[in-house]
Amino acid sequence: MNPLSSEDLANIEVLKKQIKDAPKGRGQLIPLLQMAQNILGYLPDKALSLVADYLSINRSDVYGVASFYNQFRFNPPGKNPVKVCMGTACHVRGGEIILENFERKLEIKEGDTTEDREFSIERVACVGCCALAPVALVGETLHGHMAPSKVEGLVLRVQLEREKAEREAGNS
Amino acid sequence: MIILTVDGRSIQAPAGSSVLSACLFADIFIPHLCWLESDTVADAPAACRLCFVEIDGFSEPVTACTVTVENGMMVHTDTEAVRSLQKTALKLLLSVHKVDCKNCPADKACSLQDIAKFLGIGLGCKPFERVLKELDVDSRHPAFDYYPNRCVLCGLCVRICRDRHEQPMLSFAGRGFNTVVGYFAETSDTDPDCLSCRGCLDVCPTGALVEKSQV
């Protein structure tokens, strides 16, 4: 379980304020979970408890419901979410291998986030450019014709850019 | 009292009770996993699909836990259709079960073993493919370690926890083949009520919940 960051704690305060105006009732459970995820980017335990207590529903029930749906995530999204396409064309062109390469390089499993919250890995269905299969998205940028050798380069590039930004911030 | 006939034997049961409880009370064994003695016909979950019987007047086998006893009812527990349904249901449960009895603390005290023996089949799952979950053990719960691949998802622990505690910590989590008994507690400090209750551990029909050794 990832510890809450200072940003998360601030977001939880936002959630606490917004939740006060929300309607009550069991039917509000999913809308409120969606609201919490919109604010926080994911559902930490603290957010689940807040929603559960506000609606007077068992916390474990809320967890059961949230874990049922794919749209809810329990770990924070990385700053550079890696989305590996598993659509038909990408599957045929070895999308699975690309996913595995990202997993090995970042030392996390699909669905997880690195400890520094820089990267997370997700599998997605078709992103709509099958001619470029296999495809991966890093942040908003699409990378076509992926190959294992490119994975290393992509991760390195993001890390270098971050270091550069940090240096520049330090100089100014 | 209601009088009904089960496999040619006349038995008595209190009005309102289920066929399953009437039979078990009269020492007529019907395989079952998800039923609690306190269950009425209305709140029996009928989830394990093992307690099938045939009753005259019903066109198909029915789950004994969800039928109320009636006077003159003719119940058959040992027909071909019933046994075939039970064997299939058990095999489906075994198809998601890590059969490793030698290393399982529930060996020889396991409902799956008992039911397989009763039905005269082994612990294989042919013709179904065996599909196991990736996670072998979940140690987050303060009182027990949870083994998803031993769990039959009967829901007894979830229900017991719900009955006994205002703020239960167990629920089903996930979906489909990935369903597990989930544990949710926001803080790590343990409720002393939880550690002294043991309800879930006592009721588990398999070795899915293993008490943490007292340190």
Side-chain angles (χ1 to χ4, degrees):
Chain A
M1 186 54 69
N2 293 278
L4 293 173
S5 68
S6 52
E7 199 189 336
D8 289 339
L9 292 172
N11 282 335
I12 282 172
E13 291 309 312
V14 175
L15 175 63
K16 275 185 189 164
K17 284 208 188 85
Q18 287 199 13
I19 211 172
K20 274 191 217 139
D21 304 321
K24 293 210 180 191
R26 275 189 92 85
Q28 292 305 312
L29 175 54
I30 287 178
L32 283 186
L33 288 175
Q34 285 171 326
M35 178 171 111
Q37 180 154 301
N38 274 340
I39 296 170
L40 283 137
Y42 74 113
L43 294 175
D45 288 357
K46 182 80 195 158
L48 291 176
S49 311
L50 265 174
V51 172
D53 296 352
Y54 179 74
L55 296 176
S56 314
I57 300 177
N58 281 333
R59 290 176 177 188
S60 56
D61 274 347
V62 170
Y63 171 66
V65 170
S67 67
F68 184 91
Y69 294 101
N70 280 340
Q71 64 171 299
F72 297 120
R73 56 183 303 154
F74 299 106
N75 53 348
K79 288 196 194 87
N80 303 286
V82 175
K83 292 175 185 154
V84 186
C85 181
M86 291 291 145
T88 313
C90 292
H91 170 77
V92 171
R93 300 295 301 267
E96 205 74 46
I97 298 170
I98 304 301
L99 177 68
E100 208 185 292
N101 272 283
F102 272 113
E103 288 180 337
R104 207 173 314 152
K105 177 67 193 164
L106 296 172
E107 296 177 349
I108 51 172
K109 285 273 161 220
E110 173 234 324
D112 288 346
T113 306
T114 52
E115 221 158 279
D116 58 5
R117 295 205 186 177
E118 279 297 320
F119 293 97
S120 57
I121 306 179
E122 274 167 68
R123 58 166 71 213
V124 292
C126 191
V127 289
C129 49
C130 306
L132 303 178
V135 169
L137 285 151
V138 179
E140 298 285 288
T141 322
L142 184 124
H143 301 274
H145 300 305
M146 281 300 294
S149 55
K150 279 195 182 174
V151 169
E152 189 105 2
L154 281 176
V155 173
L156 198 65
R157 192 192 300 169
V158 171
Q159 280 165 349
L160 285 176
E161 270 170 21
R162 182 176 61 154
E163 276 166 32
K164 197 175 145 202
E166 273 168 13
R167 250 198 325 267
E168 276 167 9
N171 285 341
S172 61
Chain B
M1 282 310 233
I2 304 283
I3 296 172
L4 65 161
T5 312
V6 181
D7 297 339
R9 212 180 107 192
S10 177
I11 65 168
Q12 283 193 344
S17 61
S18 67
V19 173
L20 179 61
S21 73
C23 290
L24 292 175
F25 215 72
D27 267 337
I28 298 167
F29 182 66
I30 296 175
H32 60 94
L33 285 172
C34 69
W35 180 79
L36 283 170
E37 219 173 300
S38 57
D39 279 346
T40 63
V41 170
D43 48 39
C48 67
R49 315 312 290 168
L50 281 168
C51 69
F52 279 108
V53 293
E54 280 196 272
I55 300 173
D56 288 1
F58 289 82
S59 58
E60 283 171 345
V62 288
T63 43
C65 61
T66 55
V67 179
T68 314
V69 289
E70 279 168 35
N71 264 321
M73 210 176 220
M74 298 285 279
V75 181
H76 312 278
T77 70
D78 191 16
T79 68
E80 206 176 304
V82 163
R83 292 299 182 230
S84 151
L85 280 170
Q86 287 169 336
K87 283 175 189 171
T88 306
L90 185 67
K91 280 181 180 183
L92 283 168
L93 287 174
L94 288 167
S95 76
V96 290
H97 189 83
K98 189 175 174 188
V99 180
D100 184 18
C101 300
K102 269 187 204 150
N103 296 310
C104 177
D107 189 20
K108 304 210 167 68
C110 169
S111 297
L112 288 177
Q113 287 178 333
D114 295 345
I115 294 168
K117 199 173 166 197
F118 176 78
L119 293 173
I121 58 171
L123 295 170
C125 60
K126 271 183 192 160
F128 307 117
E129 194 186 332
R130 186 154 272 150
V131 182
L132 295 181
K133 294 180 179 107
E134 232 169 80
L135 181 72
D136 200 52
V137 55
D138 176 354
S139 310
R140 291 175 306 140
H141 195 281
F144 60 74
D145 289 337
Y146 172 66
Y147 291 78
N149 284 322
R150 292 180 188 159
C151 180
V152 291
L153 297 172
C154 61
L156 292 183
C157 52
V158 176
R159 289 168 63 206
I160 285 272
C161 194
R162 211 140 282 207
D163 289 350
R164 295 199 186 170
H165 303 287
E166 214 165 288
Q167 195 64 261
M169 295 201 286
L170 298 180
S171 69
F172 286 119
R175 167 170 49 140
F177 276 112
N178 296 319
T179 311
V180 291
V181 170
Y183 159 72
F184 183 82
E186 191 199 319
T187 53
S188 54
D189 38 293
T190 318
D191 186 351
D193 277 357
C194 170
L195 291 175
S196 62
C197 159
R198 296 184 47 95
C200 51
L201 286 156
D202 292 337
V203 85
C204 181
T206 67
L209 307 181
V210 179
E211 189 170 16
K212 279 194 166 64
S213 44
Q214 307 290 337
V215 182

